[in-house]
Amino acid sequence: MPLSSSDHDYAQVVHVDDTRLDASIAIQFKEDFRNLTAGRGDVILEMSQVEFLDSSGLGSIVAVFKGLGPNRAMALAGLQPAVAKVMTLTRMNTVFAIFPTLDDALAAAAAPHAAE
Amino acid sequence: MAPPDIVTTVLSDTEHVRRALDDVRDSMDAVPEYRAIGDTTQIILAEVLNNVVEHAYRYEAGHPIHVKLSFGPDALNCCVVDEGVAMPEGKPPNGGMPDLDPNDPDSLPEGGFGWAMINMMTTGLTYTRNGGRNELVFSIPKDGT
């Protein structure tokens, strides 16, 4: 499961380097995400390469979000149309902060710190 | 004239399902008037086929799932047949979308979305158990949902 991570000032970005987040990789996604983010801060899940998300993939995103606990935020960025459609149908778009691009998500993560 | 049916047999594991979906996507992309329901078809077929892998065949690989997609005038007509165990209670789950409380992350459901999406985006869903085979028939309307 290709996941990679990059560090930014106010969030860790986890990139999904695969075209599908589906039943065939959902379990691996959860494990790798937990390993990459253990003991860190807020997370932006960057999904611009993901062309397709199924209910198992969605379940795995919900699971890792819950795993972050109450004090860490997770935003989603770069959703392609088929992925956005699943988020809308399941109303998960009411749960997650969703940004068109990674830059938008990074700007939102930085905003509370602008006055510092 | 309608394009020829897409007929394929998929082996019962999530990798083969993933590849079959890619092939269906390529076949449908070649039919411009159905391109608008390409994403929906991918979503529905993924849920239906992975349900067969998970529940009918209980993750036992190597069993056949027969898929036939026909381009009707108003809808893509789909038939999926497997030789696994029957659906519980002899019918597909008819539930809607699970409830969400955005303010209570711990309560968020991690499953139950598959059948809800199938029920939402298909018409004429019919399940038949016949001679050790499950047959699921449904249509995906061309005008979208």
Side-chain angles (χ1 to χ4, degrees):
Chain A
M1 165 85 209
L3 277 188
S4 58
S5 169
S6 60
D7 293 323
H8 294 261
D9 285 346
Y10 301 107
Q12 176 187 11
V13 178
V14 175
H15 307 265
V16 185
D17 302 322
D18 200 331
T19 56
R20 290 179 173 270
L21 180 44
D22 63 11
S24 70
I25 59 169
I27 292 171
Q28 193 68 46
F29 168 83
K30 285 193 271 193
E31 279 182 26
D32 290 1
F33 183 98
R34 283 171 186 147
N35 289 336
L36 279 173
T37 60
R40 308 287 298 274
D42 293 347
V43 179
I44 298 167
L45 187 64
E46 195 277 310
M47 299 181 69
S48 61
Q49 289 199 53
V50 181
E51 295 165 6
F52 184 74
L53 174 76
D54 69 6
S55 66
S56 299
L58 177 65
S60 68
I61 293 176
V62 174
V64 299
F65 170 60
K66 287 158 76 166
L68 288 176
N71 299 318
R72 297 169 67 188
M74 185 170 94
L76 309 180
L79 273 51
Q80 294 207 32
V83 176
K85 180 167 188 141
V86 170
M87 288 290 168
T88 306
L89 283 168
T90 58
R91 299 192 300 263
M92 279 295 169
N93 58 339
T94 65
V95 171
F96 295 109
I98 297 177
F99 298 93
T101 68
L102 178 57
D103 283 347
D104 295 324
L106 288 169
H113 307 273
E116 287 175 11
Chain B
M1 217 178 78
D5 294 350
I6 299 173
V7 181
T8 183
T9 296
V10 187
L11 289 176
S12 58
D13 65 81
T14 55
E15 279 296 329
H16 278 96
V17 167
R18 170 192 273 231
R19 266 179 264 156
L21 289 170
D22 275 339
D23 291 345
V24 167
R25 157 58 50 91
D26 291 344
S27 301
M28 285 192 68
D29 277 351
V31 187
E33 58 170 320
Y34 285 84
R35 220 167 270 161
I37 57 167
D39 285 344
T40 302
T41 302
Q42 289 275 302
I43 294 167
I44 297 302
L45 281 182
E47 300 305 336
V48 169
L49 297 179
N50 283 322
N51 276 329
V52 172
V53 170
E54 185 177 348
H55 299 293
Y57 289 130
R58 298 176 175 170
Y59 291 114
E60 209 177 283
H63 298 288
I65 310 169
H66 306 286
V67 178
K68 183 175 153 188
L69 310 176
S70 311
F71 295 90
D74 305 313
L76 184 71
N77 301 311
C78 311
C79 178
V80 176
V81 175
D82 69 74
E83 297 161 13
V85 300
M87 287 196 191
E89 300 169 40
K91 59 183 183 194
N94 60 359
M97 250 351 129
D99 287 333
L100 303 181
D101 180 356
N103 299 316
D104 183 10
D106 280 342
S107 74
L108 290 174
E110 295 172 33
F113 300 109
W115 276 109
M117 288 197 284
I118 295 167
N119 291 328
M120 221 169 167
M121 295 193 288
T122 65
T123 58
L125 185 78
T126 311
Y127 169 72
T128 318
R129 176 75 180 177
N130 195 353
R133 290 153 72 99
N134 298 309
E135 182 177 302
L136 194 69
V137 171
F138 53 91
S139 295
I140 302 170
K142 247 164 68 176
D143 58 9
T145 44

